[in-house]
Amino acid sequence: MSPKEILKVENVEKRFGGLKALNKVNLSVYENEILGLVGPNGSGKTTLINVISGIYKPDAGKIYFFGKRIDGIATYKLAHLGINRTFQIPKPFHGLTVRENVEVAALYSGKQCLKSFFKHLKNFKFMEKDYCNIEDDVQTALSIVGLDKFQDKQATQLNTSEQKLLGL
Ligand SMILES: Nc1ncnc2c1ncn2[C@@H]1O[C@H](COP(=O)(O)OP(=O)(O)OP(=O)(O)O)[C@@H](O)[C@H]1O
Ligand SMILES: [Mg+2]
């Protein structure tokens, strides 16, 4: 069976005034694949990431995520679909633990549950019904990036490369 195509970029173009930063870019990312993007300074890597993650609308071309057109969709809507980007300088929520940072991301991405995040709320018992079971997903995410052992640490206690992993 051929691998599933997760992301497809088709003939994407992006101009800044008279400068064509992206000229008919094509690529695909398949299930279980990690795709690296390399190129000289100014070749358009960041622009492509910005177009895929919804920060810029492409001037031409199409982008598909699991077969659904996503070019031009707002960043916050893309986050709910499962597309996001990280930035060069990690920006975790410093007042939260490593696990709580992932829980916030899970909540924002549209998952149903955030027990420990809401436990301090007076009406938590009421909310518990609706917000319950993302812990497994959070633990899976933490162990994929190898941060499960640090999950109760404050995010500020992580070094820079660990903070990059937390962003991921
Ligand atoms: N917001 C913008 N407005 C105008 N021009 C831009 C803008 N963003 C990028 N560019 C131009 O588009 C081209 C591609 O830039 P981009 O930042 O995507 O390259 P890059 O491959 O990420 O470079 P680097 O390796 O330096 O990070 C460059 O000529 C850049 O000056
Ligand atoms: Mg760049």
Side-chain angles (χ1 to χ4, degrees):
M1 209 171 74
S2 54
K4 191 170 186 171
E5 193 176 44
I6 307 288
L7 181 74
K8 183 182 177 121
V9 173
E10 198 176 271
N11 293 322
V12 161
E13 298 184 16
K14 177 69 192 165
R15 282 179 221 96
F16 297 110
L19 179 96
K20 207 168 208 181
L22 300 177
N23 187 12
K24 292 192 168 41
V25 176
N26 288 279
L27 61 82
S28 291
V29 182
Y30 294 91
E31 197 171 23
N32 295 323
E33 184 181 33
I34 295 174
L35 185 74
L37 193 58
V38 293
N41 295 132
S43 57
K45 304 178 295 291
T46 299
T47 303
L48 180 61
I49 296 298
N50 284 337
V51 167
I52 292 171
S53 58
I55 292 171
Y56 298 142
K57 276 187 182 177
D59 295 311
K62 296 170 185 166
I63 303 173
Y64 299 90
F65 186 56
F66 288 101
K68 178 185 182 314
R69 276 285 288 278
I70 57 153
D71 43 280
I73 294 182
T75 48
Y76 71 94
K77 289 184 182 161
L78 287 179
H80 294 311
L81 293 176
I83 291 215
N84 217 324
R85 61 160 300 177
T86 61
F87 291 87
Q88 192 160 347
I89 299 170
K91 298 226 185 288
F93 296 109
H94 286 170
L96 301 181
T97 65
V98 169
R99 187 182 61 249
E100 287 166 344
N101 267 270
V102 181
E103 287 171 344
V104 169
L107 176 68
Y108 187 73
S109 71
K111 297 280 184 177
Q112 290 301 310
C113 151
L114 259 211
K115 242 179 193 169
S116 63
F117 194 65
F118 287 112
K119 66 177 179 250
H120 58 286
L121 297 180
K122 280 195 190 106
N123 57 350
F124 175 63
K125 277 202 165 61
F126 166 74
M127 300 183 81
E128 193 170 25
K129 207 168 58 191
D130 301 319
Y131 294 84
C132 52
N133 231 339
I134 57 158
E135 280 309 316
D136 286 352
D137 288 352
V138 169
Q139 291 305 320
T140 303
L142 284 167
S143 59
I144 285 171
V145 295
L147 291 180
D148 41 333
K149 55 189 175 294
F150 300 138
Q151 61 179 284
D152 293 319
K153 273 189 171 185
Q154 290 300 117
T156 39
Q157 289 177 279
L158 298 183
N159 65 32
T160 305
S161 59
E162 289 161 351
Q163 286 191 16
K164 292 288 284 184
L165 289 170
L166 179 56
L168 182 64

